[in-house]
């Protein structure tokens, strides 16, 4: 499935990033989320490359085979968007379509917001764009969901890091299954909230059997890709969460700016993100937030891992969107 994908390293903004690449043509950059890597896009390489696109999936900073800066502050959304722009140019291109899932979606949306001269189209999976609000996000989430909300649990350096790195195979298995449309925990979807005295993985049952879209072989690949960072395997990704309020501060100068480039949104109706406070309003106002929105798609029965759970539907939407940009 990914046998013709080529791997190499690219230096951007003083950080070495690992990329996986296939095909020739207009550039499409794929941005994964937490806790993932380039392999999350394994089902997209072949179809997009066959349709005439140069497909590049990157291990974003802190993930997989890419470099993991020590400074928590090095994982702000401006660093991440800067990596995308630098990567596009390092690949010898002037522009690209950027596609992001989970945390990769805010990076994609922000890059399109700030650099419409470079991003000629943007697609977000799972996470819709969130306009800059009047208050920092984490205190509001604490008041609504309590200290056990997983994004708050992730704030203390070293805690979730050690928990998830103790047995990476179990971590990947439980996190990916529990957030999927195949899990009882997403019927209906609800945010991950950890009871006092428990851990994130305590709230997720070990699946008796993995669904067809996610096999033990896939688990092995994720474990292998994260192995270079040892007991800090998840620290880079967790550091993204530790910049949530800082991102709000950094994006304050761009309050009121809207995403004008052509855009696509795809999400599942069993995605836990849909149960986050205010997301229903974000989805209802997408056309206002994103004037360039071409299409918003809801996949019935799909959970959080959009392009892995429903590759055929996602590929069809991406190809139609990409084709519309070339018309």
């Amino acid at each position: 499935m990914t046998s013709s994908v080529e791997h190499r390293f690219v230096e951007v903004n003083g950080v070495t990033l690992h990329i996986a690449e296939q095909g020739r043509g207009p550039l499409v950059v794929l941005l994964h989320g937490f806790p993932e890597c380039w392999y999350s896009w394994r089902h997209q390489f072949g179809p997009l490359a066959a349709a005439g696109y140069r497909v590049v999936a990157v291990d974003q900073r802190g993930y997989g085979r890419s470099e993991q800066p020590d400074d928590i502050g090095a994982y702000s959304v401006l660093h991440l968007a800067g990596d995308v722009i630098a990567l596009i140019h390092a690949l010898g291109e002037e522009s690209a379509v950027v596609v992001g899932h989970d945390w990769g979606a805010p990076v994609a949306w922000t890059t399109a917001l700030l650099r419409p001269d470079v991003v000629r189209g943007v697609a977000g999976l799972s996470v819709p764009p969130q306009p800059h609000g009047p208050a920092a996000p984490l205190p509001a989430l604490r008041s609504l969901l309590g200290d056990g909300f997983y994004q708050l649990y992730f704030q203390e350096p070293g805690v979730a890091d050690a928990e998830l790195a103790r047995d990476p195979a179990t971590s990947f298995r439980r996190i990916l299954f529990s957030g999927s449309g195949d899990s009882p925990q997403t019927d209906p979807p609800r945010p991950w909230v950890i009871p006092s005295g428990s851990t994130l993985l305590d709230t997720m049952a070990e699946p008796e059997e993995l669904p067809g879209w996610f096999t033990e072989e896939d688990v092995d690949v994720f474990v292998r890709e994260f192995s270079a960072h040892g007991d800090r395997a998840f620290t880079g990704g967790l550091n993204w969460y530790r910049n949530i309020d800082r991102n709000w501060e950094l994006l304050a100068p761009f309050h009121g700016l809207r995403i004008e480039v052509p855009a696509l949104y795809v999400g599942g109706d069993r995605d836990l993100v849909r149960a986050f406070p205010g997301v229903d309003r974000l989805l209802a106002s997408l056309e206002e937030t994103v004037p360039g929105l071409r299409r918003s798609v809801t996949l019935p029965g799909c959970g959080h891992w959009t392009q892995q759970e429903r590759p055929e539907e996602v590929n069809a939407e991406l190809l139609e969107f990409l084709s519309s940009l070339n018309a």
Side-chain angles (χ1 to χ4, degrees), residues 153-154 156-165 234 238 242:
Y153 176 77
F154 285 171
E156 183 62 34
V159 176
D161 315 50
E163 175 194 350
L164 298 179
F234 295 87
L238 290 167
R242 295 162 186 157

Side-chain angles (χ1 to χ4, degrees), residues 33 46 73 77-78 81 85 90 101 108-111 128 136 166 174 240 243 261 269 272 319:
V77 72
L78 294 186
I85 296 299
H101 167 257
W109 296 125
T110 301
T111 308
R166 193 169 297 117
R174 292 191 181 188
W240 291 36
N243 279 275
V261 303
D269 66 358
L272 73 157
L319 288 170

Side-chain angles (χ1 to χ4, degrees), residues 191-245:
W192 287 336
V193 177
I194 303 157
S196 179
S198 297
T199 68
L200 176 66
L201 297 183
D202 288 339
T203 68
M204 302 174 178
E206 183 74 16
E208 294 181 6
E209 184 179 355
L210 291 178
W213 63 268
F214 184 58
T215 67
E216 287 294 343
E217 289 75 18
D218 296 328
V219 174
D220 292 342
V221 174
F222 278 112
V223 171
R224 187 165 63 248
E225 292 295 318
F226 274 63
S227 64
H229 298 300
D231 60 2
R232 291 173 55 85
F234 295 87
T235 297
L238 290 167
N239 282 342
W240 291 36
Y241 291 92
R242 295 162 186 157
N243 279 275
I244 288 176
D245 280 354

Side-chain angles (χ1 to χ4, degrees), residues 235-317:
T235 297
L238 290 167
N239 282 342
W240 291 36
Y241 291 92
R242 295 162 186 157
N243 279 275
I244 288 176
D245 280 354
R246 184 163 179 257
N247 291 339
W248 175 77
E249 295 174 357
L250 291 171
L251 291 175
F254 309 102
H255 181 91
L257 201 62
R258 300 194 301 174
I259 299 168
E260 302 284 352
V261 303
L264 167 70
Y265 171 77
V266 182
D269 66 358
R270 290 182 61 166
D271 189 335
L272 73 157
V273 169
R274 298 216 167 193
F276 288 8
V279 169
D280 55 343
R281 294 192 298 275
L282 292 179
L283 292 172
S285 60
L286 267 180
E287 292 184 358
E288 179 182 343
T289 306
V290 189
L293 185 71
R294 298 282 177 88
R295 185 163 158 80
S296 175
V297 182
T298 298
L299 301 176
C302 181
H304 182 62
W305 316 104
T306 327
Q307 77 275 21
Q308 296 185 73
E309 292 186 52
R310 297 294 180 83
E312 292 184 2
E313 292 95 326
V314 169
N315 292 347
E317 294 294 342

Side-chain angles (χ1 to χ4, degrees), residues 20-104:
E21 182 174 13
Q22 184 176 354
R24 294 184 179 182
L27 177 62
V28 180
V29 177
L30 306 177
L31 305 173
H32 64 80
F34 179 89
E36 303 175 89
C37 64
W38 71 272
Y39 188 71
S40 305
W41 301 101
R42 60 194 176 280
H43 302 299
Q44 281 66 55
F45 284 101
L48 269 60
Y53 297 97
R54 182 185 183 187
V55 186
V56 174
V58 58
D59 285 350
Q60 298 195 76
R61 63 166 65 197
Y63 281 94
R65 305 184 210 176
S66 289
E67 191 173 347
Q68 186 181 106
D70 291 329
D71 180 12
I72 292 176
Y75 297 87
S76 79
V77 72
L78 294 186
H79 287 84
L80 303 170
D83 287 349
V84 176
I85 296 299
L87 175 63
I88 292 169
H89 293 151
L91 294 172
E93 305 286 353
E94 293 299 319
S95 65
V97 176
V98 180
V99 182
H101 167 257
D102 182 77
W103 254 113

Side-chain angles (χ1 to χ4, degrees), residues 106-131:
V107 177
W109 296 125
T110 301
T111 308
L113 178 77
L114 301 182
R115 294 301 305 270
D117 57 318
V118 177
V119 178
R120 67 187 190 93
V122 60
L125 310 183
S126 172
V127 180
Q130 182 171 357

